[in-house]
Amino acid sequence: MDLLAEYRRATLFFEAGDPIGAARLLEPIVEAEPDNAAVRQLLARAYYQSAQLGRAEQQLRELVDRNPSDHYAHHVLGRTLERLNRHTDALRHLRIAAAMHCSDNDDNDYTTALRRVETKVGGGGR
């Protein structure tokens, strides 16, 4: 199997709005190259987009464990936990992501998600 060609194909599936098809292509690539963060991240996103939230969480936790400074993995993990109605767990990762993500704009996806979950948790004060 040409892993790079399969990854490119999976990316096309994902971008075309077929996250399930993308995940099917990405799963064997992650098995073959478990340390490849880009492939694992795309697989996590495909799972998230196809509402396979438990699988998304598993991939994202692996990314965060391997690289705790990956703000995007923390952000998507927080969003995944939010969709699973685990707001307190989500809040931790969304706070980490927002703190690490440099942006002059206080109205971005990171702060919007953080504020939304803080409200659900009960104000969540910083």
Side-chain angles (χ1 to χ4, degrees), residues 91 95 111 113-126:
L91 188 58
R95 282 182 173 157
T111 55
L114 175 59
R115 288 179 183 145
R116 183 177 54 246
V117 172
E118 283 178 335
T119 299
K120 291 176 183 175
V121 171
R126 291 183 178 183

Side-chain angles (χ1 to χ4, degrees), residues 25-47:
L25 294 169
L26 292 164
E27 288 165 349
I29 301 172
V30 168
E31 276 187 41
E33 293 196 18
D35 295 332
N36 189 321
V39 175
R40 190 176 294 277
Q41 182 189 93
L42 186 57
L43 177 58
R45 292 175 60 207
Y47 285 150

Side-chain angles (χ1 to χ4, degrees), residues 6-75:
E6 287 298 289
Y7 175 74
R8 288 179 178 153
R9 210 169 131 226
T11 300
L12 291 173
F13 274 64
F14 184 82
E15 290 173 351
D18 184 2
I20 293 172
R24 281 191 204 115
L25 294 169
L26 292 164
E27 288 165 349
I29 301 172
V30 168
E31 276 187 41
E33 293 196 18
D35 295 332
N36 189 321
V39 175
R40 190 176 294 277
Q41 182 189 93
L42 186 57
L43 177 58
R45 292 175 60 207
Y47 285 150
Y48 178 86
Q49 289 295 323
S50 61
Q52 297 180 65
L53 301 177
R55 289 179 170 184
E57 179 184 0
Q58 180 183 12
Q59 296 302 319
L60 291 160
R61 287 198 184 277
E62 185 69 29
L63 285 168
V64 166
D65 288 347
R66 290 173 185 246
N67 182 3
S69 66
D70 184 342
H71 64 83
Y72 186 72
H74 278 284
H75 175 71

